[in-house]
Amino acid sequence: MSDVTEIYICKAGQSLKDGRVEYSDQITDKGAAESDAKQRCKRDGSIAKIAYYSVNANGDFKVFFSYTNPQATGATGPDGNGDKTAKKKRKKAKPKPSLITRFFSLFRAKKKKA
């Protein structure tokens, strides 16, 4: 098996591990990777970052080019699927006082009146 290039393509807010992976045996140097990255970003404006890894037959890998798209569109929100609004967390309701606590509060209320 000859050297292969792994191409990780990420949307905004996505880590490299979560991005789409493609393989190429034609992109072998930094110049070819740079022109490929710019072409991909021109075709698909939602691409935010592209990283090119060289993988050899032993399974060793090394990043040889990374490109961040300055005009990336379609920024994703915190949930990572294109929704720009943050999900609101619900407030937890206060727990009801126990029966014993309510019972003793009746006596405390009578003492305050007297």
Side-chain angles (χ1 to χ4, degrees), residues 51-89:
Y52 294 82
Y53 287 84
S54 176
V55 182
N56 65 16
N58 296 335
D60 299 328
F61 61 93
K62 180 178 123 179
V63 64
F64 68 91
F65 185 72
S66 177
Y67 180 77
T68 303
N69 185 4
Q71 290 114 9
T73 59
T76 59
D79 59 351
N81 64 3
D83 186 14
K84 293 181 184 177
T85 60
K87 290 184 180 179
K88 294 183 180 180
K89 291 186 178 180

Side-chain angles (χ1 to χ4, degrees), residues 81-100:
N81 64 3
D83 186 14
K84 293 181 184 177
T85 60
K87 290 184 180 179
K88 294 183 180 180
K89 291 186 178 180
R90 266 191 193 171
K91 290 184 180 179
K92 289 186 178 179
K94 283 188 174 180
K96 276 188 168 180
S98 66
L99 181 62
I100 295 172

Side-chain angles (χ1 to χ4, degrees), residues 16-77:
L16 282 176
K17 291 181 181 181
D18 297 333
R20 187 176 77 234
V21 180
E22 293 184 10
Y23 300 94
S24 174
D25 56 353
Q26 297 172 350
I27 301 171
T28 56
D29 64 344
K30 188 175 179 177
E34 184 175 7
S35 64
D36 181 67
K38 288 180 180 178
Q39 287 176 357
R40 286 176 189 265
C41 289
K42 189 180 276 189
R43 281 191 308 246
D44 185 0
S46 66
I47 295 174
K49 187 171 185 175
I50 301 177
Y52 294 82
Y53 287 84
S54 176
V55 182
N56 65 16
N58 296 335
D60 299 328
F61 61 93
K62 180 178 123 179
V63 64
F64 68 91
F65 185 72
S66 177
Y67 180 77
T68 303
N69 185 4
Q71 290 114 9
T73 59
T76 59

